[in-house]
Amino acid sequence: MDFRQAVMEDLPQLKDMYKQIIQNMNKQKIQIWDDIYPCEFFEEDIKNNQLFEYP
């Protein structure tokens, strides 16, 4: 399985995907993430070369 380092251009898609995941989790009464975590940390993770994704 190959992963690649995330880049700033990936940020909108990552946030959209995670917002959908959070909505689905909330519907199932699994409330461990919110509007801030984890989405607001992605930009800093990308800047610090700490976020990877599956292409």
Side-chain angles (χ1 to χ4, degrees):
M1 188 178 290
D2 293 327
F3 290 90
R4 71 169 178 83
Q5 199 163 12
V7 294
M8 283 300 174
E9 290 79 16
D10 298 323
L11 193 56
Q13 184 177 358
L14 283 168
K15 284 187 174 187
D16 286 342
M17 179 181 67
Y18 270 84
K19 286 180 182 182
Q20 290 177 22
I21 292 169
I22 291 167
Q23 286 177 352
N24 189 34
M25 290 171 55
N26 287 340
K27 287 179 187 176
Q28 297 178 37
K29 308 270 190 246
I30 303 170
Q31 298 176 333
I32 57 174
W33 290 344
D34 56 28
D35 292 338
I36 296 172
Y37 184 84
C39 296
E40 293 303 314
F41 294 87
F42 291 153
E43 184 172 352
E44 192 67 24
D45 289 341
I46 291 171
K47 287 179 182 177
N48 291 325
N49 299 320
Q50 296 174 330
L51 184 61
F52 293 81
E53 61 179 51
Y54 184 74

